Amino acid sequence: MGGKRWLSKGILVFSYLWLGWPNSSYARDTIKPGEAVRFSEQLVSANGLFRLGFFSVRNVNYRYFGLLYMEDTFSRKVIIWVANRGKPVIGTTADVTMDTNGMLQIIHQDGDPIPLNSKDQAAKNSSATLTDSGNFVLTEWNLDGSAKRVLWQTFDYSTDTLLPGMKLGENFQTGKKWSLSSWISDRVPAPGAFTLEWNYTENGRGQLTSRIVYWTSGLLNVADQSFENIVWLRDDYYRDIYNFTVVSSETESYFTHSVPNGNMTILVLNSDQSNGTLIDSDKRVFGPSGLCNGIDPNPGCEAERAPECRSSNEKFESRAGQFVGGRYLSDGNMSLGFSDCWAQCWNNCSCAGYNASYPNGTGCQQLGVSFGAPRQTSNKIFPVLRV
Ligand SMILES: *[C@@H]1O[C@H](CO)[C@@H](O)[C@H](O)[C@H]1NC(C)=O
Ligand SMILES: *[C@@H]1O[C@H](CO)[C@@H](O)[C@H](O)[C@H]1NC(C)=O
Ligand SMILES: *[C@@H]1O[C@H](CO)[C@@H](O)[C@H](O)[C@H]1NC(C)=O
Ligand SMILES: *[C@@H]1O[C@H](CO)[C@@H](O)[C@H](O)[C@H]1NC(C)=O
Ligand SMILES: *[C@@H]1O[C@H](CO)[C@@H](O)[C@H](O)[C@H]1NC(C)=O
Ligand SMILES: *[C@@H]1O[C@H](CO)[C@@H](O)[C@H](O)[C@H]1NC(C)=O
Ligand SMILES: *[C@@H]1O[C@H](CO)[C@@H](O)[C@H](O)[C@H]1NC(C)=O
Ligand SMILES: *[C@@H]1O[C@H](CO)[C@@H](O)[C@H](O)[C@H]1NC(C)=O
Ligand SMILES: *[C@@H]1O[C@H](CO)[C@@H](O)[C@H](O)[C@H]1NC(C)=O
């Protein structure tokens, strides 16, 4: 089965491929010790909105085990959680097994098993269920059949997507932090440049931070449900959609949200092409409108180091064409995304333009030469510095 990764109205369309499809009469939402989710199977939440299984992105040979949201009304299909972000598996014989001690692992042909939970988060009498809220929860059970404790859950190991009920923040006793990190690019789920963290220093302040870009939402005013730097949220209409809550105690501090009208909201910390903005299912942006580049006057962009050679009216634009001859630097580091590359170029006074090294958006080429119009044989797109 083929499909597309969308946010509503198609702002982000990432194609992915399910590697199996559940026979609906056997669809289940739970696995128990001794059982497995086979390569060609999926777990399906009771309401049918969430599915867990193996998929690939853009038909590449790499397989990921993860959770997808399926919205029939708009045919929205969103990858909301990935177990093996930086460790894709190859081949068609991978399984996720739950051993008799309750350990969940991706078993694959060419490497060590990839654990989902740790030994401390496993118990013999346990089961893992994909819930209707999009959480895959491993629970330990008492003799009388009641729940003893939650051992592990995907809500505690979020990737780039925030669903109602998920937390951003920190547990001071365990040291556990809840944060989001973007994909490197729309084809590479490994953690990229942007992270979203909850900074609780002043009665709770949420801010977007990254290796290179720095943005803050400004203080959350819980009483009127607004952030200083997110102007559109002040509209009364959004109070019916988002209910933001801050929980702060000696043991933990976190930000979470619920959706009073019961509709699902999906907040995705976008990968590089969208500059690490947090975007909801209706394309509303919780973040700066462009890249905070150190001299950006956008609300929430922190004034950061801008090299003396750069001025405030400089920006990069995507242009069709090519660079001819001249100096050139290629960094094949596949952990670098587009915004990392922008930063390298921005901070290098002899850099005139940049591009990814590979078609999947990783690596960085810096170019220090003038720009030529596209030739008939070449209409390659280069994001290029305008002076
Ligand atoms: C294991 O859990 C089930 C509920 O799933 C419960 O009925 C049973 O008593 C438990 N067994 C033990 C040994 O705790
Ligand atoms: C990205 O592309 C490079 C070059 O084609 C390839 O070696 C690498 O495996 C790709 N990474 C992923 C995660 O697809
Ligand atoms: C949190 O915000 C304050 C300003 O309110 C800032 O001084 C501090 O550096 C921030 N902390 C982190 C970890 O970003
Ligand atoms: C918002 O969430 C808080 C905490 O969960 C809850 O007490 C409150 O009733 C909610 N408000 C609305 C309007 O749903
Ligand atoms: C909630 O969902 C219903 C349909 O499921 C839709 O008609 C309604 O407009 C949605 N409300 C909001 C505020 O998004
Ligand atoms: C990302 O940032 C760059 C540089 O500021 C800008 O040209 C581009 O339009 C931004 N893209 C989006 C989707 O905001
Ligand atoms: C590759 O890039 C990442 C992200 O910037 C960095 O942490 C890592 O050290 C780089 N690796 C090498 C070999 O330079
Ligand atoms: C520049 O990057 C785009 C997107 O990855 C790619 O299509 C194009 O081929 C690249 N150009 C070169 C010269 O690598
Ligand atoms: C700066 O960019 C130029 C032109 O691409 C390149 O030759 C040089 O190696 C770069 N310097 C650094 C430190 O990245």
Side-chain angles (χ1 to χ4, degrees), residues 125 141-145:
N125 201 20
W141 301 99
N142 287 314
L143 205 57
D144 66 4

Side-chain angles (χ1 to χ4, degrees), residues 308-353:
E308 282 180 11
C309 57
R310 302 293 182 201
S311 68
S312 58
N313 54 11
E314 279 184 21
K315 60 171 186 167
F316 289 100
E317 266 184 11
S318 212
R319 294 261 180 89
Q322 63 175 15
F323 291 89
V324 272
R327 285 166 299 132
Y328 176 90
L329 175 75
S330 189
D331 184 343
N333 184 343
M334 287 176 219
S335 300
L336 296 174
F338 222 59
S339 61
D340 298 306
C341 195
W342 167 84
Q344 285 192 3
C345 186
W346 176 254
N347 290 303
N348 176 352
C349 293
S350 32
C351 180

Side-chain angles (χ1 to χ4, degrees), residues 237 241 261 263:
Y237 172 78
I241 299 182
N261 71 14
N263 289 15

Side-chain angles (χ1 to χ4, degrees), residues 1 18-23 28 36-44 51-55 65 91-96:
M1 290 292 295
W18 270 128
L19 298 163
W21 200 257
N23 179 331
R28 56 192 173 131
V37 182
R38 302 283 170 214
F39 187 73
S40 59
E41 288 176 330
Q42 290 167 19
L43 295 187
V44 182
R51 290 168 187 251
L52 184 68
F54 285 94
F55 63 90
F65 184 74
T92 56
T93 56
D95 292 321
V96 168

Side-chain angles (χ1 to χ4, degrees), residues 247-376:
V247 173
S248 259
S249 69
E250 275 176 19
T251 55
E252 59 183 1
S253 174
Y254 63 82
F255 164 85
T256 187
H257 79 282
S258 58
V259 186
N261 71 14
N263 289 15
M264 180 56 65
T265 57
I266 295 179
L267 293 166
V268 180
L269 184 64
N270 281 288
S271 61
D272 275 309
Q273 302 300 342
S274 302
N275 296 332
T277 47
L278 186 71
I279 297 186
D280 80 359
S281 335
D282 284 318
K283 293 203 288 185
R284 290 178 292 249
V285 177
F286 294 69
S289 56
L291 194 63
C292 286
N293 62 9
I295 44 184
D296 195 313
N298 268 322
C301 284
E302 300 280 309
E304 253 193 309
R305 67 246 124 108
E308 282 180 11
C309 57
R310 302 293 182 201
S311 68
S312 58
N313 54 11
E314 279 184 21
K315 60 171 186 167
F316 289 100
E317 266 184 11
S318 212
R319 294 261 180 89
Q322 63 175 15
F323 291 89
V324 272
R327 285 166 299 132
Y328 176 90
L329 175 75
S330 189
D331 184 343
N333 184 343
M334 287 176 219
S335 300
L336 296 174
F338 222 59
S339 61
D340 298 306
C341 195
W342 167 84
Q344 285 192 3
C345 186
W346 176 254
N347 290 303
N348 176 352
C349 293
S350 32
C351 180
Y354 66 92
N355 201 12
S357 300
Y358 309 112
N360 60 17
T362 64
C364 180
Q365 297 179 341
Q366 292 185 57
L367 302 119
V369 292
S370 56
F371 187 69
R375 285 198 232 126
Q376 264 193 332

Side-chain angles (χ1 to χ4, degrees), residues 172-189:
F172 309 123
Q173 277 180 339
T174 60
K176 170 75 191 156
K177 284 188 177 165
W178 298 281
S179 63
L180 301 183
S181 62
S182 66
W183 290 23
I184 291 181
S185 75
D186 60 4
R187 301 183 191 198
V188 181

Side-chain angles (χ1 to χ4, degrees), residues 198 202-205 217-228 234 239 244-246 255:
W198 180 245
E202 292 168 29
N203 307 322
R205 178 184 275 260
S217 62
L219 286 170
L220 168 64
N221 183 335
V222 176
D224 72 5
Q225 291 284 307
S226 68
F227 286 95
E228 280 171 334
R234 292 179 201 146
R239 281 179 218 184
F244 302 117
T245 313
V246 177
F255 164 85

